[in-house]
Amino acid sequence: QSVLTQPPSASGTPGQRVTISCSGSSSNIGSNTVNWYQQLPGTAPKLLIYNDNQRPSGVPDRFSGSKSGTSASLAISGLQSEDEADYYCAAWDDSLNGAVFGGGTQVTVL
Amino acid sequence: EVQLVESGGGLVQPGGSLRLSCTVSGFIFSTYETNWVRQAPGKGLEWVSYISGSGSTIYYADSVKGRFTISKDNAKNSLYLQMNSLRAEDTAVYYCARSVGNSFYYYSIDVWGKGTAVTVSS
């Protein structure tokens, strides 16, 4: 059971917009910034969004992040086949004194 | 180029020990925080442990506390994870990962290694 809650799956057709939710609590998302990671099959995770809504250099602006209270969201607009991957949210948890991850959301491009 | 390369994984019996290493390059290791994060087969990511740049601050997940020890040698640009009393549920790919942020408010893992596989089985 992950500390942060994500839907296990999401899907869309090419060009559509897909949104992934991430629910936490006052000790993690409510207190600290949220990060999102993309993990393509058989590879290590890659930082997609940091500080709730910032994109590292090289990440397409089709990916965007937002946060409100103890929940966060990742949006993928203009969905492409190469976006098929697992997506994880994460944040530091002040009560646990450790990082916490969501269970991951598998995105499928139909 | 920033790189983190893990080694030391393998097959170990339940109750056994293993030491993972991570050699880093492309950045000043002593000024960055590093972590171990693991992923069991077919499962999600689980943070395991954190160590500050100087090594003075260390945290562990409850699932490994008392069994795993994180350490670093800044002179050798190396991070370690000593794993004792291993259990079947410790079977996973273990990633070495650099984190950034002036405080835990901004905590973010920005670079990951490719991982090393650990299998605990008799």
Side-chain angles (χ1 to χ4, degrees):
Chain A
Q1 195 80 356
S2 302
V3 174
L4 304 182
T5 301
Q6 298 179 234
S9 63
S11 63
T13 57
Q16 274 191 328
R17 175 184 171 94
V18 169
T19 302
I20 301 168
S21 61
C22 175
S23 178
S25 68
S26 58
S27 62
N28 41 66
I29 294 178
S31 300
N32 302 303
T33 59
V34 176
N35 309 291
W36 289 90
Y37 300 94
Q38 178 193 59
Q39 187 175 33
L40 297 170
T43 69
K46 167 192 164 186
L47 180 63
L48 204 61
I49 297 287
Y50 67 100
N51 289 0
D52 298 337
N53 54 21
Q54 302 298 301
R55 283 185 309 276
S57 173
V59 173
D61 58 8
R62 304 185 290 104
F63 295 93
S64 62
S66 63
K67 187 177 86 172
S68 177
T70 59
S71 293
S73 293
L74 173 71
I76 310 172
S77 59
L79 194 65
Q80 299 182 6
S81 58
E82 56 260 40
D83 298 333
E84 276 208 342
D86 293 325
Y87 293 83
Y88 296 89
C89 59
W92 188 262
D93 191 299
D94 292 335
S95 294
L96 297 175
N97 274 330
V100 290
F101 285 90
T105 299
Q106 184 175 57
V107 169
T108 302
V109 181
L110 301 170
Chain B
E1 181 191 5
V2 174
Q3 282 194 313
L4 300 91
V5 180
E6 305 91 337
S7 61
L11 174 64
V12 61
Q13 292 190 336
S17 299
L18 207 58
R19 189 196 197 205
L20 305 184
S21 298
C22 172
T23 302
V24 312
S25 59
F27 64 99
I28 302 174
F29 185 47
S30 62
T31 65
Y32 280 87
E33 313 150 0
T34 40
N35 307 258
W36 289 99
V37 178
R38 68 185 180 182
Q39 186 170 34
K43 302 296 185 183
L45 301 170
E46 180 189 14
W47 172 82
V48 172
S49 185
Y50 159 100
I51 187 167
S52 61
S54 65
S56 60
T57 301
I58 288 174
Y59 295 116
Y60 297 99
D62 286 345
S63 57
V64 307
K65 204 172 291 183
R67 300 187 300 121
F68 290 11
T69 302
I70 191 171
S71 63
K72 65 183 313 194
D73 186 333
N74 285 334
K76 293 184 178 179
N77 281 344
S78 292
L79 176 72
Y80 307 102
L81 186 67
Q82 177 66 43
M83 304 186 296
N84 298 331
S85 302
L86 282 161
R87 306 165 181 166
E89 53 264 37
D90 295 317
T91 294
V93 172
Y94 284 73
Y95 294 102
C96 171
R98 187 182 81 169
S99 56
V100 294
N102 292 329
S103 67
F104 288 115
Y105 176 81
Y106 292 109
Y107 174 90
S108 172
I109 291 177
D110 68 335
V111 185
W112 300 71
K114 291 187 182 338
T116 186
V118 172
T119 302
V120 183
S121 175
S122 55

